[in-house]
Amino acid sequence: MAETAVEVPATVTEKEAPLPPAAAEPELEPQPVVTVEVVEPEKTKLVEPTKKLAPESLVSFKEESNRLSDLSDFQRAALDELRALVRDALNNREFTHAAKAEGQPKETPPAAAQEVPAGTTETTPGDPAVPQPETETLVTELEIVKELASVYETKAEEKPAVESAAAAEGSSLADEVSIWGVPLLKDDCSGVILLKFLRARDFKARDAFAMLKNTICWRREFKIDDLLGEELGDDLEKVVFMHGLDKDGHPVCYNVYGEFQNKDLYQKTFGDEERRTRFLRWRIQFLERTIRKLDFTPGGISTVFQVSDLKNSPGPGKRELRLATKQALQILQDNYPEFVAKQVFINVPWWYLAFYTMISPFLTQRTKSKFVFAGPARTAETLFKYIPPEQVPIQYGGLSVDLCDCNPDFGMDDPATEITVKPLTKQTVEIQVLEKCVIVWELRVVDWEVSYSAEFVPNAEGAYIMVIRKPKKMSPTDEPVVSNSFKVTDLGKIVLIIDNPTSKRKKFVYRFKVKPLSD
């Protein structure tokens, strides 16, 4: 009996109704299946406008294919030309002892600048009640935004590549020169690497070759291979961290600038040139380790989804942070092309969006299509558009917690369902239980300010409804995620009820799991 319960445990019905009893028409909107076993009945709609998650930009960046068959004739020709240039350079040992290119940036410290290049373009306005910043800060912010945008801009000109040193000893270098663990020209993976440099240079093969050559020189001078094994501490693990995957399978990197509000951490990280240099090495090490986990086979995931949290950011008005940020962005611009699928800024103050509007006319359409901006009120909603709720950390509105024993029933592989609860409405979710079992579930409403209750309604006529959880007004200071379980001995349905008395729509996320009854 237990096995049958796990195979076809339940069906789920989601109902929405206005809180005022006068309204007669129910609204039932289609929602995604909660688990593989869940089946949803058809639903009818209220006479209300269709909900919209976030303002859509006119164009959204679509990641290009790395499969040879998907390239245009022009792109294939550019790739062939670049391969020929690399082959000649390998045969002539041009990569062996080349000095650093003239004008390449020196090793210097960055700030919690952004990670690998990145993302999408949409603007989701934030809360307007942010005080006007000082003029100096505005100018500084504008400089940083321009620097950030330059990472995504295609450059027609490249710094002159260094000519090779005299012939070196040894045989074929084709197996000796690698980048991000991928030997040049050895297999199809190297083609994916070359395409990144080509896209960064608008498929101009010689410009792409010059960039590649300078990058290899910089990597040798920066001692990237040695850096990978260095022990640089874990003081910044809350500043930059990887967590989960987006809906397309890209690993997600979070950059949390607000951590630098801690004066001790800020001083320890940026207090002098030696500390800034150490931070730079830590940041590049983190980036390199992340890149080496990517899949460089054609059709593989070779980019990262990046989230930058600007909440409580000290801002580049601080000189040390500004210098470190610009230095880090320069290194990314010159040596890490096309490594981010999307770049999403969350908890963005209104004046940051104003800066973007100012520089937008000077950016290419491709660059603009890579950014998304979301204000504090729309952060969770924006993330859910790209990342499944079960993969989003709880501090950003999702259900995912760090790997530990605090959530033994659910993990990031257990899918969740997202519902929008309209203002002044009651949302119910009915989980029809088809076999005797134990049902466990967890749910949250982003920022709460709603009432939550749960009950079990038996199928048997005349049976009593069992209250699992009495109605309770949940506040934003309560536990972000609520967990419950119920032992089902009589067939019926679990009913989860969310009352939204506010004038704001709310994001309701839930998931459940069926467990066999123990003997």
Side-chain angles (χ1 to χ4, degrees):
M1 180 169 66
E3 292 181 1
T4 310
V6 174
E7 288 178 1
V8 190
T11 60
V12 63
T13 304
E14 295 157 8
K15 296 180 180 179
E16 180 183 284
L19 287 182
E25 310 122 293
E27 177 183 277
L28 303 173
E29 297 187 359
Q31 297 295 336
V33 173
V34 177
T35 66
V36 177
E37 297 85 0
V38 172
V39 179
E40 289 188 279
E42 291 186 6
K43 306 174 180 71
T44 57
K45 293 180 73 77
L46 274 176
V47 189
E48 262 188 69
T50 306
K51 66 176 180 285
K52 204 173 183 181
L53 291 182
E56 297 286 341
S57 62
L58 296 178
V59 62
S60 181
F61 174 71
K62 180 170 177 58
E63 196 170 6
E64 299 93 342
S65 171
N66 289 318
R67 291 187 173 91
L68 189 62
S69 58
D70 293 333
L71 300 179
S72 67
D73 291 342
F74 166 75
Q75 291 170 338
R76 280 196 292 269
L79 180 58
D80 289 341
E81 182 182 354
L82 179 55
R83 280 193 175 119
L85 291 170
V86 172
R87 186 178 298 109
D88 290 344
L90 290 170
N91 292 336
N92 295 329
R93 296 172 171 82
E94 292 183 30
F95 295 122
T96 313
H97 299 296
K100 196 167 191 175
E102 181 181 354
Q104 275 277 49
K106 295 184 179 180
E107 304 165 19
T108 11
Q114 89 161 57
E115 164 147 78
V116 228
T120 358
T121 300
E122 283 165 34
T123 57
T124 310
D127 297 336
V130 180
Q132 177 103 17
E134 297 294 331
T135 303
E136 180 181 354
T137 304
L138 287 170
V139 174
T140 303
E141 282 281 2
L142 183 55
E143 290 176 357
I144 295 300
V145 175
K146 286 182 177 179
E147 288 287 339
L148 178 60
S150 70
V151 174
Y152 305 95
E153 287 292 301
T154 298
K155 289 184 172 181
E157 298 180 4
E158 174 61 50
K159 297 167 187 170
V162 181
E163 293 303 321
S164 64
E169 300 159 17
S171 53
S172 172
L173 281 177
D175 292 330
E176 296 178 32
V177 179
S178 299
I179 185 167
W180 301 302
V182 179
L184 290 178
L185 301 188
K186 185 175 182 180
D187 54 31
D188 290 342
C189 293
S190 65
V192 174
I193 298 291
L194 297 184
L195 280 171
K196 289 182 180 295
F197 285 89
L198 281 168
R199 288 187 171 113
R201 292 297 176 261
D202 201 22
F203 279 88
K204 297 176 181 177
R206 293 192 176 275
D207 290 344
F209 173 71
M211 183 183 185
L212 173 65
K213 195 170 180 181
N214 281 330
T215 293
I216 291 174
C217 293
W218 171 81
R219 294 174 66 82
R220 180 175 290 112
E221 186 163 311
F222 204 86
K223 296 182 172 57
I224 292 294
D225 291 337
D226 295 338
L227 176 63
L228 284 170
E230 285 187 26
E231 180 55 56
L232 297 174
D234 56 3
D235 296 332
L236 300 170
E237 60 182 6
K238 292 184 179 180
V239 176
V240 182
F241 60 90
M242 306 298 297
H243 191 101
L245 305 173
D246 74 356
K247 292 180 179 179
D248 295 321
H250 300 97
V252 182
C253 177
Y254 291 85
N255 299 270
V256 188
Y257 298 97
E259 292 293 325
F260 287 119
Q261 285 282 15
N262 183 319
K263 294 181 180 180
D264 291 338
L265 180 62
Y266 184 92
Q267 187 62 26
K268 185 176 181 180
T269 306
F270 306 117
D272 54 41
E273 186 173 353
E274 181 180 351
R275 293 176 182 179
R276 292 195 297 270
T277 300
R278 180 181 176 83
F279 173 76
L280 174 61
R281 294 187 65 78
W282 177 87
R283 195 66 184 82
I284 298 300
Q285 181 193 69
F286 182 94
L287 177 53
E288 286 285 330
R289 289 176 175 175
T290 299
I291 288 176
R292 289 175 187 248
K293 295 176 183 177
L294 299 176
D295 181 3
F296 288 108
T297 58
I301 301 295
S302 63
T303 52
V304 173
F305 187 104
Q306 182 152 283
V307 178
S308 294
D309 181 6
L310 301 183
K311 184 178 181 180
N312 296 326
S313 171
K318 294 202 172 186
R319 180 176 176 276
E320 302 86 358
L321 180 59
R322 183 175 74 249
L323 290 175
T325 299
K326 295 183 72 172
Q327 290 157 351
L329 289 175
Q330 187 68 56
I331 287 178
L332 293 174
Q333 176 183 306
D334 292 340
N335 302 290
Y336 294 92
E338 300 294 320
F339 268 107
V340 175
K342 295 188 187 302
Q343 171 70 59
V344 178
F345 296 90
I346 59 175
N347 292 311
V348 178
W350 67 270
W351 43 269
Y352 204 97
L353 297 177
F355 292 153
Y356 177 77
T357 302
M358 291 171 62
I359 67 170
S360 182
F362 304 101
L363 305 179
T364 66
Q365 195 60 54
R366 186 174 189 276
T367 294
K368 288 189 287 186
S369 74
K370 289 186 174 185
F371 294 111
V372 177
F373 296 95
R378 306 292 290 279
T379 284
E381 185 175 5
T382 301
L383 289 180
F384 290 169
K385 181 174 182 179
Y386 304 104
I387 307 171
E390 66 271 14
Q391 302 276 344
V392 175
I394 57 172
Q395 62 265 39
Y396 297 122
L399 296 175
S400 182
V401 296
D402 293 334
L403 299 177
C404 61
D405 295 330
C406 54
N407 190 7
D409 291 318
F410 296 97
M412 285 197 291
D413 293 332
D414 295 309
T417 296
E418 171 200 347
I419 304 173
T420 297
V421 184
K422 295 189 175 80
L424 304 175
T425 58
K426 175 190 291 186
Q427 180 78 48
T428 62
V429 174
E430 298 179 357
I431 305 171
Q432 189 71 43
V433 183
L434 305 180
E435 296 287 346
K436 295 179 181 181
C437 60
V438 174
I439 287 190
V440 294
W441 66 90
E442 65 177 9
L443 59 86
R444 77 175 301 173
V445 176
V446 179
D447 294 330
W448 287 107
E449 293 184 333
V450 301
S451 292
Y452 161 59
S453 60
E455 58 191 29
F456 177 73
V457 182
N459 288 342
E461 187 175 351
Y464 290 105
I465 295 176
M466 301 177 65
V467 175
I468 301 173
R469 183 178 179 119
K470 294 180 180 179
K472 179 186 176 183
K473 177 70 177 293
M474 305 290 292
S475 71
T477 57
D478 289 328
E479 286 295 319
V481 178
V482 173
S483 300
N484 290 118
S485 66
F486 186 75
K487 183 177 181 179
V488 179
T489 56
D490 296 309
L491 301 189
K493 60 185 178 183
I494 303 287
V495 181
L496 311 179
I497 305 165
I498 300 294
D499 284 355
N500 179 14
T502 72
S503 59
K504 300 177 182 178
R505 63 180 182 176
K506 297 286 184 176
K507 279 296 174 183
F508 170 32
V509 179
Y510 73 94
R511 56 183 170 179
F512 70 89
K513 180 179 291 187
V514 173
K515 302 168 71 173
L517 285 174
S518 56
D519 296 331

